Amino acid sequence: MRNLRILVTTALVIALSSLGVRTASAADSVAANCTGASHTPAARAAAAPVTVWLAGDSTMANPGAARCPVGWGSQFDALFNSDVTVRNQAVGGRSIQTWLYEGNVSSTKGSDGECRLTSTTYSSRWQAMLNSSTGMKAGDYLFIQFGINDSSSTCPRHVGPARYQQLMTMMAKAALARGAHPVLLTPVAAITCSGGMATKNRGFVSQTFAAGSATGAPVVDLQALSVSRYNSLRFCPNNGDYGSGPVGAFFCNDHTHFETYGAQQIATLVAGDVRRQNLPLAAYLR
């Protein structure tokens, strides 16, 4: 009987040891697979070329022949690694509607208070973005920032709040339909002072956030971020001289558009919020 117990005990120890080896081996395998799952796709994503498309007005646009203005979009590409290409399609003087329907927005308002469209044909720049072969593709990004010229009371630039929200939502949905990621931005602030503090001075903020909620698109509150930066740089109080000193190095004389340094600062704010919100695009930032 004693020998039998020894044999049974020995067999049990051997069986448990074998099971332990197999369990450890399986656990090691799972760990290895998990490690691969967490790092390999990220590395692969970082190597996948991405195009960042920009739609906006002069505060975002590439500069012309003059030294000023310089839109922040022209400084955006330098903040990313070589896997990112920035396609800046921002155009000075445009509202969201004139950017979308260039040449087809009349100078007459309809009964709804909005500028009448003579045609619903999109501008060539928006058609190019929508092109199935050469436009937005899966994994790309579309940054949309208007709201400065839209506040005009006269057509063709005038856009009311409801129409603004509708058009921004439409653009975001068009990007999503192509597998691209829309990012919506509130309009960047000009520099205006109230005593010793810079103040917000743009509209269409709630409409931008509403379009973000309707589409699931992240919103960069560039108005709040820019005002915060102006205050950190102590631009206020200001004696009305916008052409010299720290303010003159940041802004053109109109205290709305940017010198190169100012454009770089604003581009950095946008990139910083991309990182703060942990958007996948942040993996490409330098």
Side-chain angles (χ1 to χ4, degrees), residues 38-132:
S38 64
H39 293 290
T40 303
R44 188 179 302 119
V50 169
T51 299
V52 176
W53 303 82
L54 305 182
D57 53 43
S58 57
T59 60
M60 179 194 270
N62 290 332
R67 177 179 59 85
C68 207
V70 178
W72 67 261
S74 66
Q75 309 299 308
F76 206 39
D77 185 72
L79 303 178
F80 294 93
N81 65 31
S82 59
D83 293 317
V84 169
T85 300
V86 174
R87 296 282 299 275
N88 191 358
Q89 300 299 310
V91 183
R94 294 337 186 251
S95 65
I96 191 170
Q97 184 157 263
T98 56
W99 188 94
L100 281 166
Y101 299 100
E102 186 77 67
N104 294 322
V105 185
S106 75
S107 58
T108 304
K109 288 183 181 179
S111 59
D112 59 355
E114 297 297 339
C115 305
R116 292 183 182 276
L117 295 179
T118 58
S119 169
T120 56
T121 300
Y122 290 133
S123 65
S124 58
R125 65 183 71 94
W126 185 230
Q127 289 186 48
M129 286 192 187
L130 299 178
N131 187 285
S132 59

Side-chain angles (χ1 to χ4, degrees), residues 142-217:
L142 172 62
F143 283 66
I144 309 169
Q145 181 224 283
F146 292 95
I148 294 175
N149 301 306
D150 312 65
S151 60
S152 172
S153 61
T154 59
C155 293
R157 297 201 300 183
H158 167 78
V159 180
R163 178 65 169 161
Y164 186 91
Q165 181 177 327
Q166 175 193 10
L167 293 176
M168 183 166 274
T169 300
M170 179 271 288
M171 292 180 72
K173 287 182 175 179
L176 290 169
R178 286 154 180 79
H181 309 287
V183 179
L184 313 182
L185 297 92
T186 61
V188 64
I191 177 63
T192 57
C193 297
S194 177
M197 298 295 291
T199 59
K200 296 180 180 179
N201 44 49
R202 302 297 188 196
F204 303 102
V205 173
S206 62
Q207 289 75 25
T208 303
F209 277 98
S213 295
T215 59

